[in-house]
């Protein structure tokens, strides 16, 4: 508990996390307000529409999680942390837990905030959470941002430099996964198993049937929505293990 408290204090003692949280919340809620307010009629506003800004908010959350690690390497405060806590595993797990929890709560607030704004602007729209798919699309956002933050922290530990880590994460999550589909013959098969694509399928997949990932190669996978979340969670855990093992083998 002491380690968690220390990491919480370190995270919120600088301005960048606060700016990132405000930006992520503002982007997601702002897009929901813009789309809902400009809709010609209430029937065109549905639950998935209110979450249009999620991709942009997720990008900011990835930056927030990365900065929580790379900033310490930049100012060499990570050395002080490792001197005070001989077990690097415990220190890094505590940091990851705090950042992931903050990211998960932020994602949850942003998702429900977006839905709330849409309800205010379009009171006649059908925005009630009447199905498991609707609840998963809104409440599931917190789970996706939680595990995405774990991935971002892991990348930050591995690369250690802010510019490099942020560039890798944003380029991969926003561009690289989609470009993979352009690879002849095997692009679709590869894309269907890439982590952020799978995480998106958890949020948008049909809960009544297995998810069919369709790409240029017309290949399919039988992951259920919750299976997709488990896959993404497993990927984040593997990334964290690799990062911690690497951090233990090299100098701070």
């Amino acid at each position: 508990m002491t380690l968690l408290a220390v990491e919480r204090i370190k995270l919120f003692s600088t301005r960048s996390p606060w700016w990132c949280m405000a930006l992520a919340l503002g982007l997601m809620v702002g897009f929901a307000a813009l789309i809902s307010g400009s809709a010609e009629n209430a029937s065109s506003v549905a639950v998935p529409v209110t979450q249009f800004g999620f991709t942009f908010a997720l990008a900011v959350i990835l930056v927030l999680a990365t900065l929580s690690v790379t900033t310490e390497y930049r100012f060499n405060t990570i050395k002080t942390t490792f001197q005070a806590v001989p077990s690097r595993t415990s220190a890094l797990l505590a940091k990851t837990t705090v950042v992931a929890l903050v990211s998960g709560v932020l994602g949850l607030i942003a998702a429900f905030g977006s839905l709330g704004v849409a309800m205010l602007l379009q009171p006649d729209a059908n925005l009630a959470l009447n199905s498991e798919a609707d609840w998963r699309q809104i409440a599931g956002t917190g789970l996706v941002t939680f595990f995405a933050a774990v991935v971002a922290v892991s990348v930050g530990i591995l690369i250690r430099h802010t510019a490099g880590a942020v560039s890798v994460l944003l380029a991969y999550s926003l561009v690289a996964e989609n470009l993979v589909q352009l690879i002849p013959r095997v692009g679709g098969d590869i894309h269907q198993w890439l982590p952020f694509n799978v995480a998106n399928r958890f949020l948008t997949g049909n809960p009544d049937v297995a998810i069919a990932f369709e790409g240029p190669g017309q290949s399919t996978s039988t992951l259920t929505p919750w299976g997709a979340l488990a896959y993404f969670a497993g990927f984040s855990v593997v990334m964290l293990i690799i990062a911690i093992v690497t951090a233990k083998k090299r100098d701070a």
Side-chain angles (χ1 to χ4, degrees):
M1 293 300 292
T2 301
L3 282 176
L4 294 176
V6 169
E7 292 300 333
R8 175 181 55 81
I9 293 171
K10 286 197 294 184
L11 179 65
F12 292 115
S13 62
T14 58
R15 294 180 181 179
S16 55
W18 293 103
W19 281 110
C20 286
M21 288 188 287
L23 181 58
L25 187 61
L27 281 171
M28 194 158 175
V29 175
F31 271 110
L34 180 63
I35 294 174
S36 301
S38 60
E40 296 182 357
N41 52 71
S43 61
S44 62
V45 180
V47 172
V49 173
T50 67
Q51 305 302 300
F52 176 81
F54 172 70
T55 300
F56 305 98
L58 179 61
V60 178
I61 291 174
L62 291 175
V63 173
L64 184 158
T66 306
L67 287 174
S68 70
V69 178
T70 57
T71 301
E72 287 214 56
Y73 279 106
R74 178 184 177 187
F75 294 104
N76 289 323
T77 55
I78 194 72
K79 292 183 179 179
T80 305
T81 299
F82 289 157
Q83 289 173 352
V85 184
S87 173
R88 294 189 179 187
T89 299
S90 299
L92 293 174
L93 283 177
K95 178 180 291 293
T96 304
T97 300
V98 170
V99 174
L101 286 174
V102 170
S103 300
V105 172
L106 177 60
L108 202 61
I109 293 173
F112 277 100
S114 300
L115 181 66
V117 166
M119 287 179 172
L120 289 175
L121 295 177
Q122 292 289 352
D124 296 328
N126 181 20
L127 296 175
L129 302 180
N130 294 321
S131 67
E132 190 264 352
D134 289 337
W135 276 103
R136 180 160 33 79
Q137 180 125 41
I138 303 299
T141 299
L143 294 173
V144 172
T145 52
F146 177 94
F147 291 115
V150 175
V151 174
V153 170
S154 303
V155 173
I157 295 171
L158 289 169
I159 298 180
R160 299 193 288 187
H161 299 287
T162 300
V166 169
S167 298
V168 167
L169 277 169
L170 296 186
Y172 177 80
S173 62
L174 297 177
V175 180
E177 283 201 353
N178 289 325
L179 289 180
V180 166
Q181 298 178 87
L182 301 178
I183 300 175
R185 298 184 181 180
V186 298
D189 294 333
I190 297 173
H191 181 256
Q192 67 188 6
W193 297 107
L194 295 180
F196 286 95
N197 177 52
V198 173
N200 184 61
R201 292 293 185 171
F202 161 70
L203 294 175
T204 61
N206 188 338
D208 300 320
V209 296
I211 295 176
F213 296 109
E214 297 183 357
Q218 299 299 318
S219 56
T220 60
S221 176
T222 55
L223 284 176
T224 64
W226 291 101
L229 178 65
Y231 180 93
F232 187 56
F235 172 79
S236 68
V237 171
V238 170
M239 286 291 297
L240 182 60
I241 292 173
I242 293 172
I244 291 175
V245 170
T246 302
K248 292 173 67 175
K249 289 183 177 180
R250 66 190 180 191
D251 295 335

